[in-house]
Amino acid sequence: MIPKLTPELSEALHSNGNQPTPVVDPADNQVYFLVTQSTLDKARQTEDEDAIRDGIADMEAGRHYSVDEAKAQLQQRQRDRLAR
């Protein structure tokens, strides 16, 4: 289920341009950010490009990892990003 924006949230989102729009969950006061799909896609593409550049640099420097080591490292990076 994809919830619909309230008129108040829609107005805030549109008045904020392409910038992430902060919203607060009243249940726990956690702050979330609304972004457009294109903004999210660009962020993901940037992360992918960064990972590819890192991989090429590692390969050129002679740093190699097993598949299991690479998966563990990727999972840790994802946890670190979510913790921010």
Side-chain angles (χ1 to χ4, degrees), residues 26-43:
D28 61 4
N29 289 321
Q30 181 71 37
V31 176
Y32 296 89
F33 289 88
L34 298 175
V35 296
T36 63
Q37 181 69 51
S38 64
T39 299
L40 181 60
D41 291 344
K42 287 177 188 174

Side-chain angles (χ1 to χ4, degrees), residues 5-49:
L5 291 174
T6 64
E8 178 187 26
L9 287 174
S10 181
E11 182 181 333
L13 186 63
H14 292 288
S15 69
N16 214 13
N18 273 344
Q19 297 300 311
T21 302
V23 294
V24 177
D25 181 352
D28 61 4
N29 289 321
Q30 181 71 37
V31 176
Y32 296 89
F33 289 88
L34 298 175
V35 296
T36 63
Q37 181 69 51
S38 64
T39 299
L40 181 60
D41 291 344
K42 287 177 188 174
R44 287 180 174 160
Q45 181 179 0
T46 299
E47 286 180 0
D48 291 346
E49 290 170 355

